[in-house]
Amino acid sequence: MSARAPASVLWMVLLALWRLWPRAEAGCSEERRCCPGRDPSCASTGWRMDRVYGTCFCDEACKLTGDCCYDYSQACPALPCIVGEWSHWSGCAEQCKPNLRMRRRYVKQEPKNGGEPCPLLEEKSGCLEYLTYQGQDCGHEHVPAFITTSEYSKERKRRAVSPLWSSDTEEAGYCVEFKTESLSHHCTVENRPYARWMQYLREGYTVCVACQPPAMNTGNHRCSGDGLGSDGNKFLHWQAVGNPQCQGTWKKVRQVEQCSCPGVHSFIFT
């Protein structure tokens, strides 16, 4: 018996190791677990991706903390967000008045396991309809405010010293403050050197727009699109000179003698 005892003990040890071996390889597949977000209870015991043996996790946060189970990528593959095509643009919210139009797209597959998040699902753009629902012409009193960077005013001053300009062009202008309500995405992606000023147009910001000669109308000494007679609840349409796709709406805040906005939020009527 004494000669056979070591063989019996060895067999029992091997049997115990065999029973433990599947557990040593346990992971997300073995536990059938894939959990969204951060979930400390979504755990297993086995080898981690960093080749450390012990507690490993099968939640999305494990990628950030570096303690995923070795088979996380195979058991819980990352699925990106998938969206459909943009819808057609809606009509203007109101006829004959500058307002907003919208378009949407919908989620076809939600992201899972740390996949690429969903992009923007809704876009807004300024608009102005010049026909009523009955087909009558309207809206032409709402001429868009065409704007450009305030840096262009320096060029105007250099041109004003020319003898071709009359003394009337020396008259003082005025400034109008607007609160930007909407703008197209074409403004923020503009990167041409002469048009980068458009990137500083932002929804919800107050901007200053100066009315100076020669943008002034010689008859009424006003700039087109300055919102004369409008109150703070009326949407007014503007468009950036140099990129007709950079446009939007704003509401008039007040008219002042001189502009006091930061340089990046100061513009001029053209």
Side-chain angles (χ1 to χ4, degrees):
M1 288 292 294
S2 59
R4 297 179 61 185
S8 176
V9 172
L10 180 60
W11 172 254
M12 292 177 64
V13 171
L14 291 174
L15 180 62
L17 289 174
W18 179 81
R19 289 176 176 175
L20 288 175
W21 180 252
R23 189 62 182 171
E25 291 296 321
C28 301
S29 299
E30 182 75 18
E31 298 290 342
R32 296 182 180 179
R33 309 200 74 178
C34 290
C35 307
R38 183 182 295 275
D39 186 354
S41 66
C42 191
S44 181
T45 300
W47 291 102
R48 302 190 328 205
M49 286 184 173
D50 58 3
R51 299 181 180 180
V52 174
Y53 182 82
T55 302
C56 59
F57 295 87
C58 304
D59 60 345
E60 288 181 334
C62 75
K63 283 191 171 183
L64 297 176
T65 53
D67 51 11
C68 297
C69 294
Y70 73 97
D71 64 343
Y72 176 80
S73 297
Q74 292 76 34
C76 311
L79 300 177
C81 176
I82 298 177
V83 297
E85 297 293 327
W86 284 110
S87 67
H88 293 294
W89 282 104
S90 67
C92 263
E94 291 185 78
Q95 306 302 107
C96 309
K97 295 180 180 180
N99 214 293
L100 296 175
R101 60 178 182 164
M102 301 174 60
R103 67 174 183 171
R104 294 186 175 92
R105 55 186 174 183
Y106 296 93
V107 176
K108 299 173 70 174
Q109 174 182 281
E110 294 285 353
K112 292 183 179 180
N113 307 323
E116 191 72 22
C118 293
L120 186 70
L121 299 176
E122 181 180 279
E123 279 190 344
K124 297 179 181 179
S125 177
C127 61
L128 176 60
E129 298 285 356
Y130 287 94
L131 292 176
T132 66
Y133 293 115
Q134 292 74 34
Q136 297 175 329
D137 189 50
C138 68
H140 286 285
E141 66 271 20
H142 300 286
V143 178
F146 291 98
I147 62 171
T148 188
T149 172
S150 59
E151 290 295 314
Y152 188 63
S153 63
K154 297 177 182 179
E155 176 63 23
R156 281 182 172 170
K157 290 177 181 178
R158 285 194 292 267
R159 292 168 60 191
V161 301
S162 168
L164 298 177
W165 290 79
S166 68
S167 59
D168 291 339
T169 60
E170 298 296 329
E171 67 176 293
Y174 58 92
C175 181
V176 186
E177 294 181 1
F178 297 97
K179 182 181 178 183
T180 308
E181 295 293 327
S182 71
L183 73 161
S184 63
H185 77 280
H186 298 283
C187 305
T188 56
V189 299
E190 180 60 77
N191 58 11
R192 290 175 294 176
Y194 66 88
R196 286 176 182 163
W197 60 271
M198 299 177 194
Q199 296 179 358
Y200 296 102
L201 289 160
R202 293 286 189 273
E203 290 184 9
Y205 279 42
T206 297
V207 298
C208 293
V209 187
C211 178
Q212 304 168 341
M216 275 186 182
N217 185 290
T218 55
N220 59 14
H221 303 287
R222 309 289 306 187
C223 286
S224 297
D226 68 350
L228 176 65
S230 65
D231 57 30
N233 294 319
K234 184 176 292 185
F235 284 96
L236 302 170
H237 189 73
W238 58 266
Q239 180 176 312
V241 173
N243 182 356
Q245 292 181 306
C246 176
Q247 55 183 279
T249 59
W250 55 25
K251 291 181 179 179
K252 183 177 179 180
V253 177
R254 61 175 180 163
Q255 178 177 319
V256 294
E257 290 186 5
Q258 293 184 340
C259 293
S260 59
C261 296
V264 292
H265 297 144
S266 297
F267 310 97
I268 58 174
F269 291 101
T270 59

